[in-house]
């Protein structure tokens, strides 16, 4: 049973997050280890394992990138632990420029405004890439979608680094 089947959701990138959350709570309630406190060791162990599986499935489907990677895995494209590098020179140049902009933020006259502008640029890039990813997944272009997921991970990492910088400035 795959994660979509576990949550009784149609298999696809687009999903109703409210329905996912509702089904998660229902499943957790049904298999919660406390329900099996008086059961056998085997029943308690099974409840703990099922709870872990439900948690993993929920975290995977809740995250757009996790969900995309999972869909790719279901279709024979495994990205976990891979060492494939991105060969798109335009994307790599853009990433270098964004990384330099991130490194130079503290030197701006108003680093908070510069950070906001960079945050908006990251969001615009991510939105365009997500639109492409949805189209690629809908059209079963698994290898193109995998390449897009790899690129989205770069953008995610830049967003996390920016958020960390902003937290440090507020201290």
């Amino acid at each position: 049973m795959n994660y979509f089947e576990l949550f009784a959701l149609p298999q696809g990138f687009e999903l109703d997050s409210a329905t996912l959350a509702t089904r998660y709570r229902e499943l957790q309630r049904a298999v919660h280890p406390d329900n099996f406190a008086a059961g056998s060791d085997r029943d308690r162990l099974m409840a703990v394992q099922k709870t872990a599986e439900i948690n993993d499935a929920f975290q995977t489907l809740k995250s757009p990138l996790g969900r995309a990677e999972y869909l790719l895995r279901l279709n024979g494209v495994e990205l976990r632990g891979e060492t494939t590098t991105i060969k798109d020179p335009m994307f790599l140049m853009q990433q270098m420029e964004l990384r330099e902009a991130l490194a130079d933020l503290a030197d701006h006259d108003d680093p908070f405004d510069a950070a906001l502008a960079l945050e908006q640029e990251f969001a615009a890039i991510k939105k365009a890439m997500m639109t492409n990813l949805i189209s690629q997944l809908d059209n079963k272009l698994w290898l193109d979608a995998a390449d897009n997921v790899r690129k989205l991970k770069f953008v995610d990492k830049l967003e996390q680094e920016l958020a960390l910088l902003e937290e440090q400035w507020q201290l």
Side-chain angles (χ1 to χ4, degrees), residues 57-73:
F58 178 69
Q59 294 303 321
T60 299
L61 295 183
K62 186 173 80 167
S63 159
L65 270 179
R67 191 168 55 247
E69 275 193 71
Y70 187 68
L71 280 167
L72 290 170
R73 189 176 325 137

Side-chain angles (χ1 to χ4, degrees), residues 6 10 21-22 28 36 47 53 55 58-59 84 87 91 93 106 115 117 121 130 134 136 141 143:
L6 178 65
T22 299
Q28 284 294 5
F36 301 91
E53 179 187 3
N55 284 336
F58 178 69
Q59 294 303 321
T84 301
K87 296 177 176 71
F91 177 77
M93 181 60 74
E121 188 173 351
M130 289 301 283
I134 292 167
Q136 291 161 339
L141 300 171
L143 297 180

Side-chain angles (χ1 to χ4, degrees), residues 24-33 35-36 47 51 54:
Y24 170 73
R25 287 189 297 274
E26 291 169 356
L27 288 169
Q28 284 294 5
R29 222 180 347 264
V31 299
H32 195 279
N35 296 340
F36 301 91
T51 298
I54 292 166

Side-chain angles (χ1 to χ4, degrees), residues 86-97 151:
I86 295 174
K87 296 177 176 71
D88 179 346
M90 296 291 286
F91 177 77
L92 294 173
M93 181 60 74
Q94 180 191 44
Q95 292 307 298
M96 286 177 35
E97 290 170 1
K151 291 175 180 176

Side-chain angles (χ1 to χ4, degrees), residues 142-154:
W142 309 125
L143 297 180
D144 292 338
D147 194 45
N148 213 349
V149 167
R150 290 180 192 105
K151 291 175 180 176
L152 277 161
K153 287 180 177 181
F154 271 94

Side-chain angles (χ1 to χ4, degrees), residues 101-122:
L102 187 62
D104 294 341
L105 278 179
D107 299 331
H108 278 264
D109 292 336
D110 188 343
F112 291 103
D113 274 352
L116 180 61
L118 197 52
E119 188 176 312
Q120 290 170 343
E121 188 173 351
F122 291 165

